[in-house]
Amino acid sequence: MSSASSRRILLGISGGIAAYKSAQLARLLKQNGHQVRVVMTQGAQAFITPLTLQALTGEAVRTSLLDPEAEAGMGHIELARWADTILIAPATADLMARLAHGHADDLLTTLCLASPAQKIMAPAMNQAMWAQPATARNAQQLRQDGWQLLGPDSGEQACGDIGPGRMLEPEAIFSVLHQRVVLAETSAHKQHIVITAGPTREPLDPVRYLSNHSSGKMGYALATAALELGAKVTLISGPVSLPTPTGAHRVEVETAVEMANAAEQFASEADVFIGCAAVADYRAEAPAEHKLKKRAGEDGLTLRLIKNPDIIAAIAQRPRGQNRPYMVGFAAETRDLEDYARDKLTRKNLDMVVANDVSLTGLGFGVDNNAALLLWRDSTGKESRQELPPQPKIELARTILHQALIQQTISKN
Ligand code: CTP
């Protein structure tokens, strides 16, 4: 790793059996040129000694908030400011609960609260503890607060149970961190990512419209993930009740035609375009100027609809290299997911399609979780795929963006 990508990593270790794996993680981070300072909770020291981590990192390990000697060296606020990344591995259920509630009752939680660093944790606990609603709530809260949760893995546990709760292997944690760091610095930084999100509204008269159930959550999660990587983000949004992710430029639109105009304009200066909006396929040919009145004696009403412009297809038809960003589309299907997704990839001339099965309960429209299948083609036409299991939309957004940025970088070279 180049020194430009070298990070100042505060490695937090809490008290779980997986703590012994953190020694290997510290080693990997050091070997790859990162600066590493370790903070251990009291519980962690029952599993691994500070001396081991000191030997591996070449730095004194901090264990206490109220240690006058250590504070005289680098005070805890200074340490919080020093770190550009806080990585907690393992993160126990108790530590997650304390962080989710903003506690500052030991050195590690205090540093997390005081630091503006990027925050990542690898949870590790017994499978029953991970399955508890309280832990799920805490995990959800932490994600909302900007934490990235890596894992946990599933499999046999130290206690003999089998299920999700194992800490990811140090190599896997290192690899995610490495990819995110490298991506952030070599690819996403200063890139302009344009995202369409939410539904469109097609007026029938001044008080009625045609629309759909899109909540905008997936598009907004993509915007958040892009901002985390340091990208410039333009979010072209239909009417949704979500706050604008901090740092995004939000362009509010109502109709598909308005969305198309904004998209055409911003796509010309975009590196990546993600069409996440649920655009109404049709609009009223002639919306009434005044409120439509019921007609006495008539049982029905016939509306004539005409086709809306296909926003993503129009931009994707631009010749490569001429204001044509890397194009990522979505395909919401209820059957034959992969075939329809492939068809969309070809028909709309896209570079990547994110396909999801909207017939599955608890996933997709309006909810916080989603699963997806990514399909993409390289410049030679070779197709690749990646299946993404059900997970919170923000996690899914990070993985989609990650893959899109990698493929976009490859396609440029
Ligand atoms: N899209 C768009 N403009 C439209 C319609 C769709 O940009 N007028 C984009 C969506 O944002 C999404 C993808 O195209 O990225 C979805 O394709 P779409 O044709 O809407 O899918 P379906 O309506 O499900 O297609 P079909 O009618 O073939 O089922």
Side-chain angles (χ1 to χ4, degrees), residues 197-398:
T200 62
R201 277 183 188 168
E202 309 302 328
L204 301 177
D205 68 14
V207 294
R208 301 182 181 94
Y209 55 81
L210 294 173
S211 190
N212 58 62
H213 288 302
S214 171
S215 65
K217 283 183 178 171
M218 193 64 225
Y220 277 60
L222 282 160
T224 303
L227 289 161
E228 281 172 7
L229 291 176
K232 174 180 169 187
V233 175
T234 301
L235 186 55
I236 304 174
S237 178
V240 296
S241 52
L242 294 171
T244 308
T246 311
H249 171 48
R250 174 165 164 174
V251 180
E252 292 191 13
V253 295
E254 291 246 332
T255 66
V257 170
E258 286 170 12
M259 188 173 273
N261 291 339
E264 287 282 346
Q265 180 195 334
F266 287 102
S268 300
E269 47 185 72
D271 300 288
V272 178
F273 183 97
I274 308 180
C276 195
V279 185
D281 288 329
Y282 296 92
R283 67 177 185 276
E285 185 176 36
E289 198 183 329
H290 297 286
K291 187 175 170 231
L292 291 166
K293 304 300 281 180
K294 281 186 290 294
R295 296 208 193 136
E298 284 185 29
D299 285 344
L301 170 72
T302 303
L303 289 171
R304 177 151 167 82
L305 303 179
I306 54 168
K307 229 178 186 163
N308 269 326
D310 192 320
I311 301 169
I312 204 166
I315 298 168
Q317 294 312 326
R318 293 178 184 178
R320 282 176 196 269
Q322 293 180 27
N323 294 336
R324 184 191 183 280
Y326 188 82
M327 299 297 298
V328 183
F330 271 70
E333 309 290 349
T334 55
R335 64 193 166 105
D336 301 329
L337 187 71
E338 187 154 350
D339 288 346
Y340 281 132
R342 188 169 292 117
D343 172 63
K344 233 156 253 178
L345 193 64
T346 309
R347 200 162 34 86
K348 299 201 186 203
N349 197 32
L350 302 176
D351 300 300
M352 180 177 282
V353 165
V354 185
N356 57 330
D357 187 338
V358 285
S359 68
L360 301 174
T361 44
L363 299 176
F365 276 145
V367 296
D368 291 320
N369 278 11
N370 212 351
L373 169 71
L374 298 191
L375 281 186
W376 67 91
R377 291 210 181 106
D378 65 17
S379 52
T380 67
K382 186 173 150 293
E383 188 187 293
S384 303
R385 71 202 293 289
Q386 184 182 6
E387 279 185 40
L388 308 175
Q391 54 196 295
K393 284 182 176 173
I394 182 65
E395 292 294 333
L396 196 71
R398 288 182 182 125

Side-chain angles (χ1 to χ4, degrees), residues 11-16 18-20 22-23 26 38-45 48 53 87-91 95 108:
L11 176 61
I13 308 179
S14 62
Y20 78 92
S22 306
V38 176
V39 171
M40 297 173 76
T41 65
Q42 211 177 354
Q45 296 166 61
I48 184 168
L53 275 307
L87 171 62
I88 301 184
L95 183 67
L108 185 53

